[in-house]
PDB file of all heavy atoms in Angstrom:
ATOM      1  N   GLY A1160      21.633 -11.819  -7.891  1.00  0.00           N
ATOM      2  CA  GLY A1160      22.996 -11.823  -8.264  1.00  0.00           C
ATOM      3  C   GLY A1160      23.364 -11.118  -9.530  1.00  0.00           C
ATOM      4  O   GLY A1160      24.509 -11.277  -9.991  1.00  0.00           O
ATOM      5  N   GLU A1161      22.399 -10.430 -10.135  1.00  0.00           N
ATOM      6  CA  GLU A1161      22.607  -9.890 -11.503  1.00  0.00           C
ATOM      7  C   GLU A1161      22.884  -8.323 -11.433  1.00  0.00           C
ATOM      8  O   GLU A1161      22.469  -7.693 -12.289  1.00  0.00           O
ATOM      9  CB  GLU A1161      21.430 -10.212 -12.381  1.00  0.00           C
ATOM     10  CG  GLU A1161      21.236 -11.696 -12.698  1.00  0.00           C
ATOM     11  CD  GLU A1161      22.341 -12.296 -13.375  1.00  0.00           C
ATOM     12  OE1 GLU A1161      22.910 -11.583 -14.349  1.00  0.00           O
ATOM     13  OE2 GLU A1161      22.712 -13.462 -13.125  1.00  0.00           O
ATOM     14  N   GLY A1162      23.447  -7.934 -10.432  1.00  0.00           N
ATOM     15  CA  GLY A1162      23.867  -6.559 -10.381  1.00  0.00           C
ATOM     16  C   GLY A1162      22.950  -5.737  -9.460  1.00  0.00           C
ATOM     17  O   GLY A1162      21.874  -6.281  -9.030  1.00  0.00           O
ATOM     18  N   PRO A1163      23.298  -4.454  -9.136  1.00  0.00           N
ATOM     19  CA  PRO A1163      22.512  -3.672  -8.213  1.00  0.00           C
ATOM     20  C   PRO A1163      21.200  -3.217  -8.764  1.00  0.00           C
ATOM     21  O   PRO A1163      20.980  -3.148 -10.003  1.00  0.00           O
ATOM     22  CB  PRO A1163      23.410  -2.436  -8.003  1.00  0.00           C
ATOM     23  CG  PRO A1163      24.295  -2.443  -9.238  1.00  0.00           C
ATOM     24  CD  PRO A1163      24.438  -3.755  -9.703  1.00  0.00           C
ATOM     25  N   CYS A1164      20.231  -2.913  -7.903  1.00  0.00           N
ATOM     26  CA  CYS A1164      18.969  -2.285  -8.242  1.00  0.00           C
ATOM     27  C   CYS A1164      18.615  -1.380  -7.090  1.00  0.00           C
ATOM     28  O   CYS A1164      19.402  -1.247  -6.138  1.00  0.00           O
ATOM     29  CB  CYS A1164      17.925  -3.419  -8.339  1.00  0.00           C
ATOM     30  SG  CYS A1164      17.688  -4.360  -6.886  1.00  0.00           S
ATOM     31  N   ARG A1165      17.519  -0.604  -7.169  1.00  0.00           N
ATOM     32  CA  ARG A1165      17.095   0.194  -6.165  1.00  0.00           C
ATOM     33  C   ARG A1165      15.602   0.075  -5.977  1.00  0.00           C
ATOM     34  O   ARG A1165      14.884  -0.292  -6.926  1.00  0.00           O
ATOM     35  CB  ARG A1165      17.396   1.712  -6.525  1.00  0.00           C
ATOM     36  CG  ARG A1165      18.824   2.063  -6.688  1.00  0.00           C
ATOM     37  CD  ARG A1165      19.065   3.522  -7.100  1.00  0.00           C
ATOM     38  NE  ARG A1165      18.668   4.397  -6.105  1.00  0.00           N
ATOM     39  CZ  ARG A1165      18.502   5.777  -6.278  1.00  0.00           C
ATOM     40  NH1 ARG A1165      18.824   6.291  -7.417  1.00  0.00           N
ATOM     41  NH2 ARG A1165      18.169   6.544  -5.340  1.00  0.00           N
ATOM     42  N   GLY A1166      15.154   0.334  -4.779  1.00  0.00           N
ATOM     43  CA  GLY A1166      13.731   0.130  -4.583  1.00  0.00           C
ATOM     44  C   GLY A1166      13.277   0.456  -3.159  1.00  0.00           C
ATOM     45  O   GLY A1166      13.828   1.207  -2.362  1.00  0.00           O
ATOM     46  N   ILE A1167      12.023   0.034  -2.865  1.00  0.00           N
ATOM     47  CA  ILE A1167      11.276   0.323  -1.660  1.00  0.00           C
ATOM     48  C   ILE A1167      10.616  -0.930  -1.145  1.00  0.00           C
ATOM     49  O   ILE A1167      10.074  -1.785  -1.963  1.00  0.00           O
ATOM     50  CB  ILE A1167      10.260   1.465  -1.914  1.00  0.00           C
ATOM     51  CG1 ILE A1167       9.517   1.759  -0.543  1.00  0.00           C
ATOM     52  CG2 ILE A1167       9.193   1.114  -2.963  1.00  0.00           C
ATOM     53  CD1 ILE A1167       8.676   3.075  -0.774  1.00  0.00           C
ATOM     54  N   ALA A1168      10.536  -1.114   0.168  1.00  0.00           N
ATOM     55  CA  ALA A1168       9.785  -2.232   0.803  1.00  0.00           C
ATOM     56  C   ALA A1168       8.607  -1.567   1.509  1.00  0.00           C
ATOM     57  O   ALA A1168       8.697  -0.626   2.236  1.00  0.00           O
ATOM     58  CB  ALA A1168      10.643  -2.962   1.742  1.00  0.00           C
ATOM     59  N   TYR A1169       7.370  -2.206   1.222  1.00  0.00           N
ATOM     60  CA  TYR A1169       6.155  -1.622   1.796  1.00  0.00           C
ATOM     61  C   TYR A1169       5.579  -2.748   2.716  1.00  0.00           C
ATOM     62  O   TYR A1169       5.037  -3.731   2.113  1.00  0.00           O
ATOM     63  CB  TYR A1169       5.185  -1.193   0.657  1.00  0.00           C
ATOM     64  CG  TYR A1169       4.003  -0.453   1.150  1.00  0.00           C
ATOM     65  CD1 TYR A1169       4.036   0.927   1.367  1.00  0.00           C
ATOM     66  CD2 TYR A1169       2.862  -1.170   1.467  1.00  0.00           C
ATOM     67  CE1 TYR A1169       2.920   1.682   1.778  1.00  0.00           C
ATOM     68  CE2 TYR A1169       1.670  -0.420   1.904  1.00  0.00           C
ATOM     69  CZ  TYR A1169       1.846   0.973   2.007  1.00  0.00           C
ATOM     70  OH  TYR A1169       0.670   1.643   2.514  1.00  0.00           O
ATOM     71  N   LEU A1170       5.520  -2.520   3.948  1.00  0.00           N
ATOM     72  CA  LEU A1170       5.064  -3.664   4.897  1.00  0.00           C
ATOM     73  C   LEU A1170       4.143  -3.069   5.991  1.00  0.00           C
ATOM     74  O   LEU A1170       4.502  -2.473   6.894  1.00  0.00           O
ATOM     75  CB  LEU A1170       6.313  -4.197   5.660  1.00  0.00           C
ATOM     76  CG  LEU A1170       7.606  -4.478   4.912  1.00  0.00           C
ATOM     77  CD1 LEU A1170       8.703  -4.891   5.958  1.00  0.00           C
ATOM     78  CD2 LEU A1170       7.387  -5.521   3.869  1.00  0.00           C
ATOM     79  N   THR A1171       2.824  -3.137   5.522  1.00  0.00           N
ATOM     80  CA  THR A1171       1.906  -2.543   6.424  1.00  0.00           C
ATOM     81  C   THR A1171       0.976  -3.693   7.017  1.00  0.00           C
ATOM     82  O   THR A1171       1.040  -4.839   6.471  1.00  0.00           O
ATOM     83  CB  THR A1171       0.920  -1.499   5.759  1.00  0.00           C
ATOM     84  OG1 THR A1171       0.190  -0.835   6.768  1.00  0.00           O
ATOM     85  CG2 THR A1171      -0.017  -2.120   4.751  1.00  0.00           C
TER      86      THR A1171
END
Side-chain angles (χ1 to χ4, degrees):
E1161 295 297 323
C1164 58
R1165 295 178 66 187
I1167 184 171
Y1169 189 89
L1170 317 174
T1171 191

